[in-house]
Amino acid sequence: MQVWEQDIGVFPVNFAEQGDEWSYHLRVELTGDMPMGGRGTDGTAPVKLGPPVSGPVHSKLLVSPHLDGISCTVTGDGDSASPGQVDPWRRAAQAAVALLGTRNRVFTWEAVVGVAPRGFEGRFGQLAQPHDLGPVHLVPGGICMRELIPGERTGSSGYRHSFPVIASGQVSTYEWGRGALAAEVCLRRACALLSLLTGAVWVPRSHPSERADGAAPLQVPAVFENVPPFPGETEWRGQIQSGTSAFTLPGWIEQAWPVLDADAGLAQAVNAMYEGMRLEPEHPSLAYLTFVAAIEGYGMRLADDVPCDCQPGCTHVKTAAARRIREALKTVMISRDVRKIAGYAYDLRSRTGHQGSLFGSEKTFGYSPHLSLFDVGGDAIFDYMVLGELRNASRQVLAKALGRPG
């Protein structure tokens, strides 16, 4: 079957930064906000838009980057192009350019966040009062949520109670799909900071949802999904027992968000620390590697690479990875503790990263032989002492960098 192509021009649109918004306006102009197929670029192929799922237009639009914006070509099946298959794309493309940045509106989003169901749970109780983390507003959920924690094997499930909070914020963009993505980015950083502060792994317990004007705020469920009641209990309503402990967020955390906005390297290190905490329960050796990377990543600003001295005129450099770890640890530790942690941190990290060595209980799916009377439980020592020590070291280093006093 023959295929025709018709160039419709170059449009002043930044391919990577404005392409998604432009294609949104184009779709609305072309179809009246009806669905339309599409295929993204792989870095070499053009973006393919269309055809619309209904209506008289059956052609497609190919969009490629151009020095002056984007280059657009209409293509379709047949011997030649007809105006009815080309002109609608041209008009919609022109209109979409004019609409860039003009149809933004403020979306209010909200989501439930809490301690990860299978993570290491801190004994800090409920959030005592509302607090802002940058653009994210946190409110106590007011519920003791019960959930069933399923195991990977039959008969290994258990119950857990926790105190999730409601996170909310606002974002200005052209459609909710983009707003939801921005909310996920905010949730990631908020959960990372809560994890850094409390030592427990915080994660979103719901997807961000749009809250319409006048709608009731999101509520934490008393029971997460399906949990059978305890024997003799009629219904769990999420009541919080008197005397339940509570925690507050320290004042210095208020400056953490703008500090991370202004320091991409520090933001990357915090992100790595958080990912290490998420890995820790089931992948302790990978978590260890990631904690070392977080410390080393922050330490890059404290120790530069040095020229190689293997021979005169060598143009290579020697990385200062081990020194970066030491310099970062020195910001929160005395020299004796630095030597202790740094002495094995780089070695264990390298053996996992370069050789695939595993040191923790992942070798036995989380089961440890540490109860043996006649064998030293090396994996238990790694999980609970070596790894825990490094996790806390990474939290201390990054908290200090974010402005924690002391």
Side-chain angles (χ1 to χ4, degrees), residues 284-326:
S285 297
L286 293 180
Y288 191 91
L289 184 153
T290 310
F291 290 138
V292 174
I295 297 171
E296 181 185 341
Y298 174 70
M300 289 181 68
R301 68 195 62 206
L302 306 175
D304 295 328
D305 291 332
V306 296
C308 180
D309 56 0
C310 65
Q311 61 182 13
C314 180
T315 58
H316 294 90
V317 296
K318 294 191 294 187
T319 60
R323 189 156 64 93
R324 288 168 178 161
I325 296 171
R326 292 194 300 272

Side-chain angles (χ1 to χ4, degrees), residues 93-119:
Q94 293 169 341
V97 172
L99 290 171
L100 286 173
T102 67
R103 296 290 176 88
N104 283 5
R105 64 187 183 92
V106 175
F107 293 92
T108 298
W109 61 266
E110 54 189 356
V112 178
V113 300
V115 177
R118 299 183 68 179

Side-chain angles (χ1 to χ4, degrees), residues 271-355:
N271 212 22
M273 177 225 66
Y274 175 55
E275 195 64 22
M277 293 182 70
R278 296 180 67 203
L279 285 167
E280 185 173 350
E282 297 184 2
H283 306 283
S285 297
L286 293 180
Y288 191 91
L289 184 153
T290 310
F291 290 138
V292 174
I295 297 171
E296 181 185 341
Y298 174 70
M300 289 181 68
R301 68 195 62 206
L302 306 175
D304 295 328
D305 291 332
V306 296
C308 180
D309 56 0
C310 65
Q311 61 182 13
C314 180
T315 58
H316 294 90
V317 296
K318 294 191 294 187
T319 60
R323 189 156 64 93
R324 288 168 178 161
I325 296 171
R326 292 194 300 272
E327 294 301 319
L329 292 175
K330 285 179 183 178
T331 63
V332 294
M333 295 179 181
I334 61 176
S335 296
R336 181 185 60 193
D337 293 336
V338 170
R339 288 192 299 270
K340 174 187 174 185
I341 295 178
Y344 52 75
Y346 187 71
D347 176 62
L348 294 180
R349 163 264 201 198
S350 297
R351 289 168 63 185
T352 296
H354 299 301
Q355 302 173 24

Side-chain angles (χ1 to χ4, degrees), residues 8 11 29 97 128 149 181 198 238 269 291 317 361 368 376 380:
I8 61 171
F11 299 88
E29 291 294 316
V97 172
I149 310 301
L181 182 62
T198 65
F291 290 138
V317 296
S361 60
S368 171
V376 176

Side-chain angles (χ1 to χ4, degrees), residues 370-390:
H370 68 276
L371 296 179
S372 170
L373 298 177
F374 299 91
D375 185 25
V376 176
D379 55 349
I381 293 173
F382 180 84
D383 283 5
Y384 298 112
M385 296 178 62
V386 177
L387 179 57
E389 187 175 53
L390 191 70

Side-chain angles (χ1 to χ4, degrees), residues 99-405:
L99 290 171
L100 286 173
T102 67
R103 296 290 176 88
N104 283 5
R105 64 187 183 92
V106 175
F107 293 92
T108 298
W109 61 266
E110 54 189 356
V112 178
V113 300
V115 177
R118 299 183 68 179
F120 294 120
E121 183 179 1
R123 301 298 178 185
F124 44 81
Q126 60 180 326
L127 181 65
Q129 59 191 29
H131 201 101
D132 289 332
L133 283 179
V136 180
H137 184 58
L138 301 175
V139 177
I143 291 290
C144 179
M145 187 177 76
R146 175 183 292 175
E147 60 188 316
L148 186 67
I149 310 301
E152 295 179 349
R153 306 186 187 191
T154 302
S156 60
S157 60
Y159 293 92
R160 200 205 55 178
H161 295 84
S162 62
F163 305 94
V165 305
I166 301 296
S168 62
Q170 292 185 325
V171 59
S172 177
T173 187
Y174 55 91
E175 58 105 15
W176 167 241
R178 305 299 295 183
L181 182 62
E184 293 281 12
V185 173
C186 288
L187 283 175
R188 168 87 184 191
R189 179 176 288 181
C191 287
L193 290 174
L194 286 169
S195 301
L196 183 149
L197 286 170
T198 65
V201 184
W202 286 73
V203 296
R205 302 310 309 269
S206 74
H207 289 290
S209 59
E210 179 186 1
R211 190 172 78 196
D213 293 338
L218 186 64
Q219 299 292 318
V220 175
V223 177
F224 188 85
E225 296 184 341
N226 299 316
V227 181
F230 288 172
E233 182 183 63
T234 56
E235 181 183 5
W236 177 255
R237 298 182 180 274
Q239 58 270 23
I240 297 178
Q241 302 296 322
S242 60
T244 297
S245 61
F247 72 98
T248 59
L249 302 185
W252 63 265
I253 200 63
E254 295 178 3
Q255 69 188 36
W257 204 285
V259 168
L260 292 173
D261 281 341
D263 191 332
L266 180 56
Q268 183 170 280
V270 170
N271 212 22
M273 177 225 66
Y274 175 55
E275 195 64 22
M277 293 182 70
R278 296 180 67 203
L279 285 167
E280 185 173 350
E282 297 184 2
H283 306 283
S285 297
L286 293 180
Y288 191 91
L289 184 153
T290 310
F291 290 138
V292 174
I295 297 171
E296 181 185 341
Y298 174 70
M300 289 181 68
R301 68 195 62 206
L302 306 175
D304 295 328
D305 291 332
V306 296
C308 180
D309 56 0
C310 65
Q311 61 182 13
C314 180
T315 58
H316 294 90
V317 296
K318 294 191 294 187
T319 60
R323 189 156 64 93
R324 288 168 178 161
I325 296 171
R326 292 194 300 272
E327 294 301 319
L329 292 175
K330 285 179 183 178
T331 63
V332 294
M333 295 179 181
I334 61 176
S335 296
R336 181 185 60 193
D337 293 336
V338 170
R339 288 192 299 270
K340 174 187 174 185
I341 295 178
Y344 52 75
Y346 187 71
D347 176 62
L348 294 180
R349 163 264 201 198
S350 297
R351 289 168 63 185
T352 296
H354 299 301
Q355 302 173 24
S357 298
L358 302 177
F359 303 101
S361 60
E362 67 265 69
K363 293 178 291 186
T364 50
F365 298 99
Y367 288 85
S368 171
H370 68 276
L371 296 179
S372 170
L373 298 177
F374 299 91
D375 185 25
V376 176
D379 55 349
I381 293 173
F382 180 84
D383 283 5
Y384 298 112
M385 296 178 62
V386 177
L387 179 57
E389 187 175 53
L390 191 70
R391 179 212 321 123
N392 291 332
S394 68
R395 290 175 52 221
Q396 292 170 24
V397 168
L398 296 176
K400 180 67 177 295
L402 289 171
R404 189 192 68 187

